[in-house]
């Protein structure tokens, strides 16, 4: 078998705070891809036969190691994708919670359930593993994204081939090291630096039972098409442009601060970030003013140090440039840039947190996802106008509605066209809470009780009397 020829760049570390390239890793050869497929398929035979309680013990050890190595992992993520160090460490620690949740709750979640039947006998629904899976992960949460895919499936008995983003290879290898140290058997979890062409080969391979992707809408469309062509189950968690509706407030400063802190988390690079703030006209000007106070005078800073009054870089120079183009498109068509929106000098990836109003449908920012620290704020005059604007999106990941009158907020939140809807909370995120969207934000769910249901054989088991 000859090596795949690809124009795809190697997996390489490029520190976004400096633009300086670091360690690089070669793409896998076709021989290595075949070896991974064979090893995953062979390991599945024995792993799925291990009692689920024993698999859960191994996954519990994975959880312990994520916590023990949180500082080490955090430093790696901050170097590779620019996340503020405290957030990187927190992400690694959260992974421990995710693995622990499925190690603890997984056996019960996967237990067979008796269902009523008119037949003479007993009927059950069993939840069984289906085989080797491919996970295609993004760079924005290099550990968390893996955890929410891998944890339930390892407990369930599936095996995993993991293709991470090209910009976070050291994060990918660190997770493989944890799996090995925790006692995950050889072949049960395999990291591979695959090329785009090889990903298509892996999905199409008869030994692969399903594929999960978290990434862009474009990538999701490609993966779903390949999976569909080959009759493979897939789960897609794609982009989002979540509405964050503020109907009223008895403390505008506090409301604006919460909205700002939510938007700036992970330097604005979260799928379910509050990318569209929809605010009642009664408090709009005050709300925007408070955001501007938070955004103005910020300086580029070292994400490993997190000094007060500084901001972290985006994940790459290209990401910063794309965001700048989107904001400049809006400004050129009449939007108002109140603060920030400055693209720093290259090759670093700094883009100053911005506040933007006056967005209209002909602007890219109205329909496109702004994957960075830009607070887009709309003014509305009624609850119905707020709802209409909130639902006027191709995306449907999450959303939030705030009001001093909870019933008023619930009335709107119940009608959001999203996979996740929150009342008086930016987002209720946790290892026990399902995550996923509708419309062009993808399909399928991760985390919580639903997290074990995607890649399992919900088999009918009938025993006649």
């Amino acid at each position: 078998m000859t090596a795949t020829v690809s124009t795809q760049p190697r997996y390489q570390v490029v520190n976004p705070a400096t633009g300086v390239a670091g360690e690089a890793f070669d793409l896998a050869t076709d021989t290595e891809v075949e070896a991974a497929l064979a090893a995953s398929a062979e390991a599945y035979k024995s792993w799925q036969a291990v009692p689920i309680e024993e698999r859960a013990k191994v996954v519990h050890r994975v959880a312990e190691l994520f916590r023990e190595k949180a500082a080490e992992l955090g430093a790696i993520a901050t170097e590779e994708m620019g996340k503020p160090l405290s957030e990187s460490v927190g992400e690694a620690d959260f992974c421990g919670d995710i693995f622990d949740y499925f190690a603890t709750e997984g056996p019960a979640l996967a237990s067979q359930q008796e269902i009523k039947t008119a037949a003479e006998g007993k009927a059950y629904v069993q939840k069984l593993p289906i085989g080797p899976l491919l996970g295609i992960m993004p760079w924005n949460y290099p550990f968390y994204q893996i955890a929410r895919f891998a944890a339930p499936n390892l407990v369930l008995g599936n095996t995993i081939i993991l293709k991470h983003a090209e910009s976070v290879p050291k994060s990918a290898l660190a997770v493989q090291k944890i799996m090995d140290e925790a006692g995950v058997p050889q072949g049960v979890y395999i990291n591979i630096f695959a090329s785009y062409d090889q990903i298509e080969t892996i999905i199409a391979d008869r030994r692969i039972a399903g594929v999960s992707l978290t990434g862009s809408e474009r990538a999701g469309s490609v993966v779903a098409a390949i999976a569909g062509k080959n009759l493979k189950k897939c789960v897609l968690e794609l982009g989002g442009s979540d509405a964050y509706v503020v109907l009223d407030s008895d403390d505008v400063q506090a409301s604006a601060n919460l909205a700002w802190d939510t938007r700036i988390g992970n330097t604005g690079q979260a799928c379910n970030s509050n990318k569209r703030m929809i605010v009642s006209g009664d408090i709009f000007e005050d709300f925007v003013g408070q955001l501007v106070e938070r955004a103005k005078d910020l300086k580029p800073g070292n994400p490993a140090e997190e000094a007060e009054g500084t901001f972290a870089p985006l994940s790459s120079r290209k990401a910063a440039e794309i965001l700048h183009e989107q904001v400049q498109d809006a400004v050129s068509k009449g939007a108002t840039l109140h603060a920030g929106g400055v693209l720093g000098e290259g090759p670093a990836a700094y883009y100053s947190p911005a506040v933007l109003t006056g967005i209209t449908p002909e602007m890219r920012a109205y329909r496109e996802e702004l994957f960075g620290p830009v607070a887009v704020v709309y003014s509305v005059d009624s609850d119905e106008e707020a709802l209409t604007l909130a639902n006027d999106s191709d995306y449907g990941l999450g959303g939030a509605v705030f009001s001093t009158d909870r019933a008023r907020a619930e009335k709107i939140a119940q009608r959001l066209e999203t996979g996740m809807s929150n009342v008086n909370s930016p987002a209720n995120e946790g290892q026990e809470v399902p995550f996923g969207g509708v419309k062009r934000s993808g399909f399928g769910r991760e985390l919580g009780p639903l997290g074990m249901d995607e890649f399992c054989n919900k088999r009918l088991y009938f025993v006649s009397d």
Side-chain angles (χ1 to χ4, degrees):
M1 183 179 292
T2 59
T4 296
V5 177
S6 175
T7 59
Q8 178 180 342
R10 291 186 299 174
Y11 287 70
Q12 182 164 33
V13 178
V14 178
N15 189 328
T18 63
V20 175
E23 193 171 1
F25 303 84
D26 291 333
L27 294 172
T29 65
D30 287 346
T31 299
E32 290 169 334
V33 169
E34 169 56 31
L37 285 164
S40 187
E42 185 64 26
Y44 173 69
K45 296 177 183 177
S46 55
W47 183 242
Q48 58 87 25
V50 172
I52 192 170
E53 292 78 12
E54 295 302 311
R55 295 195 297 263
K57 289 180 181 178
V58 176
V59 172
H60 176 66
R61 180 57 183 151
V62 172
E64 291 179 334
L65 288 172
F66 263 100
R67 295 194 183 100
E68 292 172 12
K69 298 176 181 291
E72 173 188 338
L73 295 171
I76 293 172
T78 294
E79 176 193 3
E80 291 192 309
M81 56 76 60
K83 190 193 302 287
L85 183 59
S86 63
E87 296 185 24
S88 296
V89 174
E91 177 186 338
D93 193 64
F94 182 34
C95 289
D97 296 340
I98 294 171
F99 279 100
D100 250 348
Y101 171 81
F102 285 103
T104 302
E105 303 295 333
L109 293 175
S111 62
Q112 71 178 20
Q113 300 172 347
E114 185 174 358
I115 59 175
K116 293 181 179 180
T117 176
E120 294 183 357
K122 291 189 175 182
Y124 305 87
V125 172
Q126 298 176 317
K127 294 183 179 181
L128 307 174
I130 60 173
L133 306 174
L134 171 65
I136 305 173
M137 299 293 110
W139 48 261
N140 60 330
Y141 290 96
F143 306 123
Y144 162 68
Q145 301 286 4
I146 293 177
R148 68 188 199 184
F149 165 62
N153 285 300
L154 288 176
V155 172
L156 187 62
N158 293 318
T159 56
I160 292 170
I161 296 176
L162 199 291
K163 186 272 179 202
H164 218 321
E166 292 81 3
S167 59
V168 291
K170 289 173 66 175
S171 295
L173 292 174
V175 174
Q176 178 71 72
K177 184 179 178 181
I178 284 176
M179 296 294 177
D180 295 341
E181 188 175 336
V184 175
Q186 185 175 5
V188 171
Y189 182 96
I190 302 173
N191 177 76
I192 189 164
F193 293 145
S195 71
Y196 302 145
D197 292 339
Q198 289 168 337
I199 289 303
E200 182 170 359
T201 298
I202 294 171
I203 297 173
D205 191 279
R206 62 178 177 77
R207 290 165 288 191
I208 291 293
V211 55
S212 178
L213 175 138
T214 298
S216 68
E217 182 182 341
R218 180 185 61 81
S221 296
V222 172
V223 167
I226 299 170
K229 178 182 177 181
N230 291 281
L231 301 178
K232 303 293 177 71
K233 170 67 183 288
C234 70
V235 168
L236 304 177
E237 196 273 278
L238 309 178
S241 190
D242 289 10
Y244 187 97
V245 182
V246 183
L247 300 176
D248 59 64
S249 175
D250 54 10
D251 187 340
V252 176
Q253 181 178 9
S255 295
N257 282 339
L258 179 60
W260 179 261
D261 290 340
T262 302
R263 186 66 186 102
I264 296 304
N266 207 39
T267 319
Q269 300 166 118
C271 296
N272 64 328
S273 182
N274 52 335
K275 301 185 180 81
R276 295 181 298 139
M277 301 180 194
I278 301 170
V279 181
S280 170
D282 294 341
I283 61 173
F284 176 77
E285 289 189 11
D286 192 4
F287 190 94
V288 171
Q290 296 294 337
L291 295 179
V292 172
E293 284 297 312
R294 293 293 303 275
K296 71 179 186 180
D297 300 327
L298 294 175
K299 305 296 182 184
N302 183 344
E305 297 177 356
E306 299 185 80
E308 186 176 351
T310 64
F311 60 91
L314 293 184
S315 63
S316 68
R317 181 67 186 180
K318 181 179 180 181
E321 290 173 349
I322 291 173
L323 183 63
H324 185 59
E325 290 172 1
Q326 292 171 307
V327 171
Q328 288 303 305
D329 171 78
V331 171
S332 71
K333 295 174 182 176
T336 300
L337 181 61
H338 298 265
V342 177
L343 178 64
E345 294 184 5
Y350 287 95
Y351 188 80
S352 59
V355 179
L356 193 62
T357 64
I359 298 298
T360 54
E362 66 271 14
M363 302 172 186
R364 291 175 59 187
Y366 189 86
R367 289 290 175 192
E368 296 180 8
E369 178 179 25
L370 301 185
F371 212 60
V374 179
V376 174
V377 195
Y378 296 86
S379 176
V380 291
D381 295 325
S382 70
D383 292 9
E384 282 298 319
E385 184 182 358
L387 177 65
T388 298
L389 179 57
N391 286 336
D392 188 19
S393 173
D394 295 331
Y395 297 106
L397 190 54
V401 184
F402 292 81
S403 174
T404 55
D405 180 349
R406 191 175 70 183
R408 180 186 180 192
E410 286 195 71
K411 185 177 180 181
I412 301 301
Q414 289 281 11
R415 298 166 66 190
L416 291 180
E417 297 169 354
T418 61
M420 301 174 288
S421 183
N422 303 276
V423 174
N424 290 336
S425 172
N428 181 19
E429 293 183 271
Q431 61 273 12
E432 75 284 357
V433 180
F435 189 104
V438 296
K439 299 198 281 189
R440 301 191 75 82
S441 288
F443 44 79
R445 295 294 182 268
E446 295 179 308
L447 299 177
L450 303 184
M452 294 191 73
D453 286 355
E454 293 293 347
F455 293 105
C456 72
N457 174 12
K458 302 179 186 70
R459 185 174 72 177
L460 168 66
Y461 182 64
F462 180 76
V463 180
S464 174
D465 288 341

